[in-house]
Amino acid sequence: HRPGGPPPWAHLSPAERRVPVERVIEAVQALGEPRPIPGGAPPGARASAVLVPVYEEAGEAVLVLTRRAQHLRSHKGEVSFPGGRTEPGETAVQTALREAEEETALVPASVEVVGELDSLATFSSSSAIVPIVGRLPGRPELVAHEAEVEAILHVSVSELLHEDTYREELWRFPQGYHPLFFFEIPGDTIWGATARILHQLLS
């Protein structure tokens, strides 16, 4: 791989990186209709959804993520948003809220669904993921489901926007170079589908 470009938010001052929740909500709602997966979902991909929970603390937006348990078969130890496979008859919103409750004990009724980001595909786990953004009334009381979640993380948007947190790498694949995004937070590296979701949300 080779180094990629700077983040779309490189021009922001430190003060401008302290983003309130309302600004996040406005940006998500201004996206309009979410874009489908370019070229469609890969063959056999299973419908999935994740919840992108955001709340305000000390005047700035904070996101809730999880670190997946080490004993899981796929994506063990990785940082992700709560989510999982869509069950028959479920909408993406229902899936995201159900999975968040199962993984973190987040009360579905406390979530105000405010929008949807672009769908994306993962090839390692063959999933087609719909990210659902939900506003919480404040810092939630959460409990990690030990079978799936090792830890619950509260990460401020300003930390993700910090100049030392983000990097882009261009990885070479048979069809050419493709950008991969990484966010370095204390104790963890966020990458893969979660980093792609964050990249769109922060952009």
Side-chain angles (χ1 to χ4, degrees):
H1 67 271
R2 65 190 188 193
W9 50 87
H11 62 285
L12 296 179
S13 69
E16 290 172 321
R17 299 180 192 204
R18 292 180 58 85
V19 180
V21 162
E22 200 55 45
R23 180 70 189 94
V24 176
I25 304 310
E26 289 173 358
V28 171
Q29 293 178 336
L31 288 174
E33 288 297 317
R35 294 172 294 183
I37 298 169
R46 289 172 288 186
S48 304
V50 298
L51 184 67
V52 182
V54 58
Y55 65 91
E56 188 159 307
E57 189 170 69
E60 64 176 304
V62 180
L63 298 170
V64 178
L65 297 107
T66 67
R67 184 188 305 123
R68 290 170 58 84
Q70 298 291 340
H71 59 261
L72 295 176
R73 287 183 297 176
S74 64
H75 304 291
K76 60 184 178 182
E78 293 184 11
V79 175
S80 65
F81 288 108
R85 306 291 189 198
T86 298
E87 295 183 350
E90 274 189 333
T91 65
V93 169
Q94 290 170 334
T95 299
L97 294 176
R98 173 181 56 78
E99 288 284 346
E101 183 178 27
E102 291 175 2
E103 294 179 13
T104 69
L106 179 65
V107 179
S110 69
V111 181
E112 177 194 354
V113 174
V114 297
E116 180 180 318
L117 301 177
D118 294 345
S119 296
L120 66 159
T122 62
F123 294 91
S124 58
S125 56
S126 189
S127 298
I129 303 172
V130 179
I132 303 296
V133 181
R135 172 164 47 188
L136 309 180
R139 186 181 181 95
E141 294 290 333
L142 303 176
V143 180
H145 189 289
E146 293 183 358
E148 299 183 65
V149 175
E150 180 179 277
I152 296 171
L153 310 177
H154 299 259
V155 184
S156 68
V157 167
S158 62
E159 181 178 351
L160 294 168
L161 292 173
H162 191 277
E163 58 186 11
D164 294 331
T165 299
Y166 169 88
R167 76 178 185 277
E168 177 183 305
E169 296 178 358
L170 299 175
W171 285 47
R172 188 173 182 177
F173 293 92
Q175 63 270 35
Y177 281 96
H178 183 75
L180 270 68
F181 310 125
F182 299 85
F183 294 85
E184 299 289 348
I185 61 174
D188 289 285
T189 298
I190 305 174
W191 66 293
T194 305
R196 288 158 62 191
I197 293 169
L198 284 175
H199 185 271
Q200 186 193 9
L201 180 68
L202 299 174
S203 296

